[in-house]
């Protein structure tokens, strides 16, 4: 028996990286998967079905309220409820000084990395209330909110908003038995991270860690699987860092 047998999990940003690894890990524990991304998710679906999991994918721009609403109508028609929601869809940035950011830069990061989480969570809420088990909302934030590296102001601000959203929702949804937590990856070797981070930066960051190993998407997926399970029934409103002890909070 898996810890998530008969649970319905929806993962955004599931085409690759942490999202794909999370979908595969939740499926190993018995969950059925609904996947959301703007990118092609066929490889994630193939991998899930190869391991015998039920998986359906929807193309959705999480910043478009009408698309999000229609997507979750489809999720409801397919599965009837949601037990686990993982907000992971987001964008990364190259580095530039704060005064070089434009209003459009700031709005883009806030819209995708924060407003997208809000719209997805709001649309999923009626289905989360139908959960047969205590429902879980898990938001992927970023360790940069605490470490504050220069050159990423708009990105870090958007991830800080996710932490604030996590804490408020944990308070507001606690009486309904819904837990809300955030996980914070350090520098994880995902396609998106590798696009914006050099090997030199990866190596320098690892030297600052207590455990000098490069983070992998599976490290986050394993934590998310725990937070999604009944073992984490009293865990809510928390932000958990997975970065090998580079930053201790």
């Amino acid at each position: 028996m898996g810890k998530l047998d008969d649970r319905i999990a929806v993962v955004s940003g599931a085409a690759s990286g942490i999202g794909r690894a999370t979908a595969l890990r939740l499926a190993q524990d018995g969950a059925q998967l609904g996947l959301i991304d703007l990118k092609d998710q066929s490889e994630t679906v193939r991998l899930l079905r190869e391991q015998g999991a039920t998986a359906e994918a929807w193309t959705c721009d999480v910043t478009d309220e009408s698309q999000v609403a229609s997507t979750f109508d489809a999720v409801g028609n397919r599965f009837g409820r949601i037990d686990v929601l993982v907000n992971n869809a987001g964008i990364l940035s190259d580095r530039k000084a704060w005064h070089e950011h434009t209003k459009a830069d700031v709005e883009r990061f806030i819209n995708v990395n924060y407003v997208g989480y809000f719209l997805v969570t709001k649309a999923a809420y009626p289905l989360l209330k139908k959960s047969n088990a205590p429902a879980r909302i898990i938001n992927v934030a970023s360790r940069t909110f605490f470490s504050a590296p220069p050159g990423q102001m708009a990105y870090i601000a958007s991830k800080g908003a996710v932490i604030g959203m996590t804490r408020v929702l944990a308070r507001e949804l606690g009486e309904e038995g819904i837990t809300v937590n955030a996980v914070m990856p350090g520098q994880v070797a995902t396609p998106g991270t590798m696009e914006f981070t050099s090997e030199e930066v990866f190596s320098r960051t690892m030297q600052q860690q207590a455990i000098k190993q490069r983070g992998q998407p599976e490290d986050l997926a394993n934590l998310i699987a725990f937070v999604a399970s009944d073992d984490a029934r009293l865990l809510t409103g928390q932000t958990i860092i997975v970065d090998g002890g580079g930053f201790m909070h």
Side-chain angles (χ1 to χ4, degrees):
M1 296 289 289
K3 290 186 176 181
L4 298 176
D5 279 352
D6 300 320
R7 306 283 173 91
I8 308 300
V10 173
V11 180
S12 72
S16 62
I18 292 170
R20 176 184 290 174
T22 296
L24 292 169
R25 182 65 175 81
L26 297 179
Q28 288 174 13
D29 281 356
Q32 301 177 58
L33 272 300
L35 312 174
I36 298 173
D37 207 311
L38 262 180
K39 299 176 182 177
D40 179 16
Q41 301 176 90
S42 58
E43 179 65 10
T44 304
V45 171
R46 183 187 70 79
L47 292 169
L48 285 164
R49 291 177 177 170
E50 275 187 358
Q51 67 182 46
T54 297
E56 299 291 343
W58 289 270
T59 301
C60 178
D61 178 352
V62 297
T63 70
D64 186 319
E65 190 168 13
S66 63
Q67 282 192 39
V68 173
S70 62
T71 295
F72 278 90
D73 284 344
V75 171
N77 290 335
R78 174 64 179 84
F79 293 112
R81 70 177 195 279
I82 297 172
D83 302 301
V84 179
L85 174 66
V86 180
N87 281 310
N88 170 69
I91 55 174
L92 299 171
S93 72
D94 52 3
R95 288 170 170 78
K96 60 182 177 181
W98 72 269
H99 55 84
E100 294 176 354
H101 281 76
T102 65
K103 181 172 179 282
D105 289 334
V106 175
E107 289 176 341
R108 177 168 173 260
F109 280 100
I110 292 297
N111 284 337
V112 178
N113 292 349
Y114 167 57
V115 176
Y117 280 28
F118 165 73
L119 292 177
V120 166
T121 303
K122 185 176 180 180
Y125 179 50
L127 297 174
L128 288 161
K129 291 196 290 184
K130 294 180 180 180
S131 173
N132 295 330
R136 307 281 190 249
I137 299 171
I138 303 163
N139 298 321
V140 177
S142 171
R143 189 196 76 152
T144 57
F145 177 72
F146 290 126
S147 59
Q152 295 181 275
M153 185 194 70
Y155 171 76
I156 294 169
S158 70
K159 289 301 185 178
V162 169
I163 296 169
M165 170 184 165
T166 297
R167 294 175 177 178
V168 174
L169 286 181
R171 291 285 188 192
E172 295 201 15
L173 298 180
E175 291 187 1
E176 300 180 53
I178 299 174
T179 68
V180 189
N181 291 285
V183 299
M184 279 186 160
Q187 284 190 336
V188 177
T190 66
T193 302
M194 298 304 292
E195 181 180 351
F196 293 105
T197 306
S198 67
E199 283 293 334
E200 178 186 355
V201 171
F202 261 111
S203 298
R204 185 167 64 247
T205 299
M206 277 194 293
Q207 293 310 307
Q208 298 168 352
Q209 297 174 186
I211 300 172
K212 294 175 173 37
Q213 296 179 21
R214 179 174 295 187
Q216 298 296 328
E218 290 74 18
D219 296 314
L220 270 296
N222 290 336
L223 173 61
I224 291 169
F226 165 72
V227 176
S229 75
D230 291 340
D231 290 340
R233 68 184 186 90
L234 291 182
L235 185 70
T236 196
Q238 304 306 309
T239 301
I240 308 170
I241 306 174
V242 183
D243 72 342
F247 187 90
M248 300 185 184
H249 167 65

mmCIF file of all heavy atoms in Angstrom, residues 201-226:
data_model
loop_
_atom_site.group_PDB
_atom_site.id
_atom_site.type_symbol
_atom_site.label_atom_id
_atom_site.label_comp_id
_atom_site.label_asym_id
_atom_site.label_seq_id
_atom_site.Cartn_x
_atom_site.Cartn_y
_atom_site.Cartn_z
ATOM 1 N N VAL A 201 29.181 28.988 -10.515
ATOM 2 C CA VAL A 201 28.263 29.377 -9.443
ATOM 3 C C VAL A 201 27.778 28.152 -8.680
ATOM 4 O O VAL A 201 27.700 28.150 -7.449
ATOM 5 C CB VAL A 201 27.069 30.169 -10.011
ATOM 6 C CG1 VAL A 201 26.003 30.393 -8.944
ATOM 7 C CG2 VAL A 201 27.549 31.505 -10.564
ATOM 8 N N PHE A 202 27.455 27.082 -9.399
ATOM 9 C CA PHE A 202 27.050 25.844 -8.738
ATOM 10 C C PHE A 202 28.139 25.364 -7.786
ATOM 11 O O PHE A 202 27.874 25.005 -6.633
ATOM 12 C CB PHE A 202 26.754 24.745 -9.774
ATOM 13 C CG PHE A 202 25.300 24.563 -10.066
ATOM 14 C CD1 PHE A 202 24.781 24.911 -11.303
ATOM 15 C CD2 PHE A 202 24.437 24.035 -9.121
ATOM 16 C CE1 PHE A 202 23.433 24.737 -11.586
ATOM 17 C CE2 PHE A 202 23.095 23.853 -9.395
ATOM 18 C CZ PHE A 202 22.593 24.203 -10.632
ATOM 19 N N SER A 203 29.371 25.340 -8.242
ATOM 20 C CA SER A 203 30.475 24.849 -7.419
ATOM 21 C C SER A 203 30.696 25.733 -6.197
ATOM 22 O O SER A 203 30.916 25.230 -5.078
ATOM 23 C CB SER A 203 31.766 24.788 -8.254
ATOM 24 O OG SER A 203 31.622 23.882 -9.318
ATOM 25 N N ARG A 204 30.634 27.041 -6.393
ATOM 26 C CA ARG A 204 30.825 27.963 -5.275
ATOM 27 C C ARG A 204 29.720 27.798 -4.231
ATOM 28 O O ARG A 204 29.973 27.804 -3.020
ATOM 29 C CB ARG A 204 30.870 29.398 -5.787
ATOM 30 C CG ARG A 204 31.198 30.419 -4.700
ATOM 31 C CD ARG A 204 31.536 31.777 -5.287
ATOM 32 N NE ARG A 204 30.419 32.379 -5.988
ATOM 33 C CZ ARG A 204 30.375 32.587 -7.298
ATOM 34 N NH1 ARG A 204 31.385 32.226 -8.070
ATOM 35 N NH2 ARG A 204 29.325 33.160 -7.859
ATOM 36 N N THR A 205 28.500 27.606 -4.699
ATOM 37 C CA THR A 205 27.379 27.421 -3.778
ATOM 38 C C THR A 205 27.537 26.133 -2.985
ATOM 39 O O THR A 205 27.290 26.103 -1.772
ATOM 40 C CB THR A 205 26.052 27.401 -4.554
ATOM 41 O OG1 THR A 205 25.892 28.652 -5.228
ATOM 42 C CG2 THR A 205 24.879 27.193 -3.619
ATOM 43 N N MET A 206 27.956 25.063 -3.645
ATOM 44 C CA MET A 206 28.134 23.790 -2.936
ATOM 45 C C MET A 206 29.178 23.884 -1.843
ATOM 46 O O MET A 206 29.062 23.241 -0.791
ATOM 47 C CB MET A 206 28.494 22.683 -3.931
ATOM 48 C CG MET A 206 27.290 22.075 -4.619
ATOM 49 S SD MET A 206 27.698 20.531 -5.471
ATOM 50 C CE MET A 206 28.777 21.121 -6.759
ATOM 51 N N GLN A 207 30.203 24.672 -2.048
ATOM 52 C CA GLN A 207 31.243 24.821 -1.028
ATOM 53 C C GLN A 207 30.721 25.519 0.227
ATOM 54 O O GLN A 207 31.313 25.393 1.298
ATOM 55 C CB GLN A 207 32.442 25.579 -1.607
ATOM 56 C CG GLN A 207 33.191 24.820 -2.680
ATOM 57 C CD GLN A 207 33.554 23.396 -2.247
ATOM 58 O OE1 GLN A 207 34.160 23.195 -1.192
ATOM 59 N NE2 GLN A 207 33.183 22.425 -3.058
ATOM 60 N N GLN A 208 29.612 26.235 0.111
ATOM 61 C CA GLN A 208 29.011 26.905 1.263
ATOM 62 C C GLN A 208 28.018 26.009 1.995
ATOM 63 O O GLN A 208 27.491 26.388 3.039
ATOM 64 C CB GLN A 208 28.302 28.186 0.788
ATOM 65 C CG GLN A 208 29.246 29.206 0.160
ATOM 66 C CD GLN A 208 28.502 30.313 -0.558
ATOM 67 O OE1 GLN A 208 27.287 30.260 -0.734
ATOM 68 N NE2 GLN A 208 29.236 31.339 -0.989
ATOM 69 N N GLN A 209 27.766 24.839 1.460
ATOM 70 C CA GLN A 209 26.793 23.936 2.050
ATOM 71 C C GLN A 209 27.436 23.017 3.085
ATOM 72 O O GLN A 209 28.615 22.660 2.968
ATOM 73 C CB GLN A 209 26.147 23.056 0.959
ATOM 74 C CG GLN A 209 25.358 23.841 -0.070
ATOM 75 C CD GLN A 209 24.860 22.994 -1.217
ATOM 76 O OE1 GLN A 209 24.313 23.525 -2.168
ATOM 77 N NE2 GLN A 209 25.051 21.675 -1.160
ATOM 78 N N ALA A 210 26.641 22.599 4.076
ATOM 79 C CA ALA A 210 27.118 21.604 5.036
ATOM 80 C C ALA A 210 27.299 20.251 4.353
ATOM 81 O O ALA A 210 28.261 19.526 4.618
ATOM 82 C CB ALA A 210 26.132 21.486 6.200
ATOM 83 N N ILE A 211 26.367 19.897 3.471
ATOM 84 C CA ILE A 211 26.464 18.680 2.669
ATOM 85 C C ILE A 211 26.817 19.117 1.255
ATOM 86 O O ILE A 211 26.009 19.742 0.566
ATOM 87 C CB ILE A 211 25.137 17.892 2.673
ATOM 88 C CG1 ILE A 211 24.766 17.493 4.104
ATOM 89 C CG2 ILE A 211 25.236 16.668 1.771
ATOM 90 C CD1 ILE A 211 23.397 16.880 4.238
ATOM 91 N N LYS A 212 28.010 18.807 0.833
ATOM 92 C CA LYS A 212 28.538 19.362 -0.417
ATOM 93 C C LYS A 212 28.158 18.483 -1.608
ATOM 94 O O LYS A 212 29.001 17.858 -2.251
ATOM 95 C CB LYS A 212 30.041 19.567 -0.297
ATOM 96 C CG LYS A 212 30.374 20.650 0.736
ATOM 97 C CD LYS A 212 31.852 20.805 0.965
ATOM 98 C CE LYS A 212 32.166 21.984 1.868
ATOM 99 N NZ LYS A 212 31.241 22.244 2.972
ATOM 100 N N GLN A 213 26.848 18.463 -1.871
ATOM 101 C CA GLN A 213 26.325 17.723 -3.001
ATOM 102 C C GLN A 213 25.334 18.601 -3.748
ATOM 103 O O GLN A 213 24.617 19.396 -3.134
ATOM 104 C CB GLN A 213 25.622 16.437 -2.527
ATOM 105 C CG GLN A 213 26.538 15.437 -1.846
ATOM 106 C CD GLN A 213 25.782 14.204 -1.376
ATOM 107 O OE1 GLN A 213 24.697 13.896 -1.864
ATOM 108 N NE2 GLN A 213 26.354 13.505 -0.415
ATOM 109 N N ARG A 214 25.317 18.447 -5.043
ATOM 110 C CA ARG A 214 24.397 19.228 -5.866
ATOM 111 C C ARG A 214 22.974 18.718 -5.688
ATOM 112 O O ARG A 214 22.713 17.516 -5.717
ATOM 113 C CB ARG A 214 24.807 19.132 -7.333
ATOM 114 C CG ARG A 214 23.891 19.901 -8.276
ATOM 115 C CD ARG A 214 24.415 19.906 -9.691
ATOM 116 N NE ARG A 214 25.681 20.623 -9.796
ATOM 117 C CZ ARG A 214 26.292 20.887 -10.944
ATOM 118 N NH1 ARG A 214 25.753 20.493 -12.092
ATOM 119 N NH2 ARG A 214 27.430 21.530 -10.953
ATOM 120 N N GLY A 215 22.028 19.641 -5.475
ATOM 121 C CA GLY A 215 20.635 19.255 -5.347
ATOM 122 C C GLY A 215 20.062 18.757 -6.662
ATOM 123 O O GLY A 215 20.391 19.258 -7.737
ATOM 124 N N GLN A 216 19.197 17.754 -6.553
ATOM 125 C CA GLN A 216 18.525 17.195 -7.709
ATOM 126 C C GLN A 216 17.014 17.366 -7.550
ATOM 127 O O GLN A 216 16.515 17.498 -6.429
ATOM 128 C CB GLN A 216 18.862 15.707 -7.853
ATOM 129 C CG GLN A 216 20.337 15.423 -8.077
ATOM 130 C CD GLN A 216 20.864 15.991 -9.381
ATOM 131 O OE1 GLN A 216 20.122 16.068 -10.366
ATOM 132 N NE2 GLN A 216 22.129 16.379 -9.403
ATOM 133 N N PRO A 217 16.260 17.385 -8.638
ATOM 134 C CA PRO A 217 14.806 17.514 -8.522
ATOM 135 C C PRO A 217 14.189 16.479 -7.591
ATOM 136 O O PRO A 217 13.212 16.771 -6.889
ATOM 137 C CB PRO A 217 14.323 17.327 -9.966
ATOM 138 C CG PRO A 217 15.472 17.802 -10.798
ATOM 139 C CD PRO A 217 16.707 17.383 -10.048
ATOM 140 N N GLU A 218 14.765 15.282 -7.565
ATOM 141 C CA GLU A 218 14.220 14.219 -6.713
ATOM 142 C C GLU A 218 14.312 14.560 -5.232
ATOM 143 O O GLU A 218 13.513 14.071 -4.425
ATOM 144 C CB GLU A 218 14.945 12.901 -6.997
ATOM 145 C CG GLU A 218 14.639 12.291 -8.355
ATOM 146 C CD GLU A 218 15.309 13.018 -9.519
ATOM 147 O OE1 GLU A 218 16.277 13.780 -9.283
ATOM 148 O OE2 GLU A 218 14.863 12.825 -10.665
ATOM 149 N N ASP A 219 15.303 15.381 -4.835
ATOM 150 C CA ASP A 219 15.409 15.784 -3.433
ATOM 151 C C ASP A 219 14.182 16.584 -3.009
ATOM 152 O O ASP A 219 13.673 16.422 -1.895
ATOM 153 C CB ASP A 219 16.679 16.608 -3.213
ATOM 154 C CG ASP A 219 17.943 15.808 -3.463
ATOM 155 O OD1 ASP A 219 18.027 14.669 -2.971
ATOM 156 O OD2 ASP A 219 18.843 16.314 -4.158
ATOM 157 N N LEU A 220 13.712 17.462 -3.878
ATOM 158 C CA LEU A 220 12.484 18.215 -3.585
ATOM 159 C C LEU A 220 11.267 17.322 -3.667
ATOM 160 O O LEU A 220 10.349 17.423 -2.840
ATOM 161 C CB LEU A 220 12.351 19.377 -4.573
ATOM 162 C CG LEU A 220 12.982 20.701 -4.162
ATOM 163 C CD1 LEU A 220 12.295 21.274 -2.929
ATOM 164 C CD2 LEU A 220 14.464 20.591 -3.947
ATOM 165 N N ALA A 221 11.244 16.437 -4.658
ATOM 166 C CA ALA A 221 10.091 15.558 -4.838
ATOM 167 C C ALA A 221 9.880 14.666 -3.617
ATOM 168 O O ALA A 221 8.734 14.433 -3.198
ATOM 169 C CB ALA A 221 10.289 14.702 -6.089
ATOM 170 N N ASN A 222 10.965 14.179 -3.028
ATOM 171 C CA ASN A 222 10.835 13.319 -1.849
ATOM 172 C C ASN A 222 10.238 14.080 -0.674
ATOM 173 O O ASN A 222 9.403 13.549 0.080
ATOM 174 C CB ASN A 222 12.206 12.749 -1.463
ATOM 175 C CG ASN A 222 12.718 11.741 -2.465
ATOM 176 O OD1 ASN A 222 11.943 11.116 -3.191
ATOM 177 N ND2 ASN A 222 14.029 11.577 -2.536
ATOM 178 N N LEU A 223 10.653 15.333 -0.493
ATOM 179 C CA LEU A 223 10.079 16.147 0.578
ATOM 180 C C LEU A 223 8.605 16.428 0.306
ATOM 181 O O LEU A 223 7.764 16.325 1.213
ATOM 182 C CB LEU A 223 10.845 17.459 0.708
ATOM 183 C CG LEU A 223 10.234 18.478 1.675
ATOM 184 C CD1 LEU A 223 10.166 17.925 3.093
ATOM 185 C CD2 LEU A 223 11.022 19.787 1.641
ATOM 186 N N ILE A 224 8.277 16.780 -0.919
ATOM 187 C CA ILE A 224 6.883 17.060 -1.265
ATOM 188 C C ILE A 224 6.007 15.841 -1.007
ATOM 189 O O ILE A 224 4.882 15.968 -0.497
ATOM 190 C CB ILE A 224 6.782 17.534 -2.727
ATOM 191 C CG1 ILE A 224 7.410 18.932 -2.858
ATOM 192 C CG2 ILE A 224 5.333 17.552 -3.212
ATOM 193 C CD1 ILE A 224 7.604 19.398 -4.284
ATOM 194 N N ALA A 225 6.512 14.651 -1.321
ATOM 195 C CA ALA A 225 5.744 13.429 -1.070
ATOM 196 C C ALA A 225 5.461 13.252 0.420
ATOM 197 O O ALA A 225 4.368 12.836 0.811
ATOM 198 C CB ALA A 225 6.493 12.215 -1.622
ATOM 199 N N PHE A 226 6.431 13.571 1.258
ATOM 200 C CA PHE A 226 6.213 13.492 2.704
ATOM 201 C C PHE A 226 5.159 14.500 3.149
ATOM 202 O O PHE A 226 4.221 14.162 3.887
ATOM 203 C CB PHE A 226 7.513 13.740 3.463
ATOM 204 C CG PHE A 226 7.299 14.029 4.929
ATOM 205 C CD1 PHE A 226 6.913 13.017 5.791
ATOM 206 C CD2 PHE A 226 7.458 15.313 5.429
ATOM 207 C CE1 PHE A 226 6.679 13.277 7.144
ATOM 208 C CE2 PHE A 226 7.235 15.594 6.762
ATOM 209 C CZ PHE A 226 6.849 14.564 7.628
#
